[in-house]
Amino acid sequence: MCPNCVHKAQNTTPPITTVPSTETTTEEAEENEEIILLPSFVDRFYNTLESRYSILVFEPIYEYNADYAAGIVFEQDIPEGTEVSSGTVITLKVSKGPDAVALPDYLGKKVKDYTKELEELGIRYETEKEETTEFKKNYVVRCDKEVGDMIKISEDETVTVYYAVAPEKSEAETEAPTEENQPEQSEE
């Protein structure tokens, strides 16, 4: 080999391309960083990305989006196909689901089952007892909103759920009979 010549055949390792904004040399990049071609994270569940792409740093921004289910990424700040190095911060917009949902029907449902359904939909609620003999104990009697009304989750709109409890007995019904409160018997 001549001292003034460089033979391209001797260098068989292709250079690693770094992100244009970094000023590292190819050797430094090989030693310290891993370069990846960024995939699309759109339409993926956010909670699975951090473990799968542990060399990247994700910064989620949660927003209501009626077009995507809760937990699904709908936008990323660095486009798919961009080469990035390990430690790159990727900002992702993650759906909180729709900003309003229809109030579900409560007919024939126990308060614990109905409130669980409201929680799953992201609807805030409070419960109130309502004395009645027309419904079974702990069943939903009514709500302060109509079934099918759109509840604005994004504005923390709250629904009051009224559920059945037995009416309290009056004092006269609960007293034990005594001589004083016994009905008078007629003497015949």
Side-chain angles (χ1 to χ4, degrees), residues 10 37 97 112 122 144 166:
Q10 291 177 350
L37 192 60
K112 68 176 182 150
D144 67 340

Side-chain angles (χ1 to χ4, degrees), residues 41-100:
F41 298 116
V42 175
D43 290 325
R44 294 188 182 182
F45 283 101
Y46 172 73
N47 63 359
T48 63
L49 297 178
E50 286 183 311
S51 61
R52 187 162 185 199
Y53 297 95
S54 59
I55 66 166
L56 299 173
V57 177
F58 294 107
E59 211 171 83
I61 297 173
Y62 292 92
E63 294 180 0
Y64 290 101
N65 188 318
D67 296 330
Y68 291 86
I72 302 292
V73 175
F74 64 90
E75 189 177 305
Q76 65 190 62
D77 68 336
I78 301 176
E80 172 185 11
T82 303
E83 289 182 340
V84 296
S85 59
S86 60
T88 299
V89 177
I90 314 287
T91 302
L92 302 174
K93 288 192 178 177
V94 182
S95 178
K96 291 169 79 174
D99 66 343

Side-chain angles (χ1 to χ4, degrees), residues 106 109 111 114 126-130 135 138-145 159-165:
Y106 53 80
K109 294 181 181 176
V111 68
Y114 189 65
E126 54 187 37
T127 57
E128 295 283 333
K129 296 176 183 177
E130 185 167 304
F135 290 84
N138 294 322
Y139 277 77
V140 178
V141 174
R142 63 187 174 92
C143 292
D144 67 340
K145 312 268 191 284
V159 174
T160 303
V161 178
Y162 297 89
Y163 65 97
V165 294

